[in-house]
Amino acid sequence: MQQYASAEDVDALPSPPPGDGWLYAWAWQDQAAGRVRTRGFPRRGDAIVEDEATGASAIVLTAELQRALDIMQGKGSQILTRPGPNDTVEVGGRVVLEETRSL
């Protein structure tokens, strides 16, 4: 995890940013409200350059900050988390689909 100074700094990162290994970039959008902007980059050298919704990383960030978060990740994912009892974290959310596919 790497904290940035602003949500705009997170948005400005190239996809993927230089470097090796997993990067979960985050910054406060509104600290008082618990709103965070994040982006997740596997940086594995494969076709997946950015993870749109990383629940596992959201859980780690919530546990580290010890507070409920409203996380906007990628282009259209909202991850909602809150610390629970006995070192647990609840996670849920929603995602905006970019294209509709018929079955």
Side-chain angles (χ1 to χ4, degrees):
M1 262 183 272
Q2 184 173 343
Q3 183 177 5
Y4 287 78
S6 70
E8 293 78 18
D9 289 343
V10 173
D11 286 334
L13 291 170
S15 187
D20 295 318
W22 176 258
L23 172 64
Y24 191 62
W26 73 279
W28 292 108
Q29 283 183 311
D30 182 338
Q31 188 170 358
R35 285 199 311 267
V36 178
R37 172 69 172 119
T38 68
R39 292 175 71 193
F41 302 100
R43 297 195 295 195
R44 297 183 293 238
D46 61 12
I48 301 172
V49 295
E50 186 168 346
D51 190 328
E52 180 62 28
T54 312
S57 293
I59 289 169
V60 171
L61 183 61
T62 301
E64 184 175 304
L65 298 176
Q66 282 298 297
R67 61 176 295 178
L69 298 175
D70 181 347
I71 300 168
M72 297 306 298
Q73 184 170 334
K75 295 177 184 171
S77 298
Q78 179 184 27
I79 303 171
L80 303 168
T81 63
R82 68 177 175 202
N86 303 316
D87 294 324
T88 61
V89 174
E90 294 182 24
V91 64
R94 55 186 64 91
V95 67
V96 175
L97 298 176
E98 288 191 22
E99 81 180 53
T100 304
R101 297 176 192 212
S102 60
L103 298 176

